[in-house]
């Protein structure tokens, strides 16, 4: 089998897995989902996935860890969120910091 054919096998397998996962979500008994432990675990999984997404987007470039303007922008956003600034202000300030640092040649 050619490498091109294996690609389509992988795509079909991924599609079938996605379908089965969604289907399983519909057939799980509702009583299982009302368990407090399930709610706690779902919250932890959400936080873990968002942390992983943040780490890969803000601190990585390819397979290396990079400290550049994105890190400073995230730090500014974190401080502004901690100080309870409106979200639009946080976004604009973080973008301005990243743009300014890149204009100065960092990152």
């Amino acid at each position: 089998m050619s490498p091109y054919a294996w690609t389509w096998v992988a795509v079909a397998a991924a599609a079938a897995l996605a379908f089965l996962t969604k289907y399983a979500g519909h057939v799980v008994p509702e009583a299982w989902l009302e368990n407090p432990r399930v709610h706690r675990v779902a919250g932890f999984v959400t936080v873990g996935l968002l942390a992983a997404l943040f780490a890969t987007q803000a601190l990585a470039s390819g397979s290396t860890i990079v400290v550049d303007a994105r890190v400073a922008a995230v730090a500014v956003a974190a401080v502004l969120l901690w100080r309870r600034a409106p979200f639009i202000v946080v976004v604009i300030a973080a973008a301005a910091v990243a743009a300014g640092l890149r204009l100065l040649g960092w990152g």
Side-chain angles (χ1 to χ4, degrees):
M1 191 179 273
S2 73
Y4 182 73
W6 281 112
T7 302
W8 283 108
V9 170
V11 169
L17 183 62
F19 173 79
L20 291 173
T21 302
K22 287 183 177 275
Y23 182 71
H26 289 288
V27 298
V28 169
E30 192 170 332
W32 290 5
L33 300 176
E34 295 302 321
N35 187 339
R37 185 182 304 160
V38 172
H39 286 281
R40 237 182 1 260
V41 169
F44 291 147
V45 168
T46 303
V47 170
L49 288 173
L50 286 174
L53 178 64
F54 162 75
T56 57
Q57 293 298 311
L59 301 174
S61 179
S63 62
T64 60
I65 295 175
V66 177
V67 177
D68 60 5
R70 296 176 295 180
V71 175
V74 168
V76 167
V79 168
L80 289 174
L81 286 171
W82 175 63
R83 301 292 298 160
R84 305 239 189 257
F87 186 70
I88 190 69
V89 172
V90 173
V91 171
I92 291 171
V97 167
L101 289 175
R102 287 182 175 157
L103 185 65
L104 295 174
W106 190 47

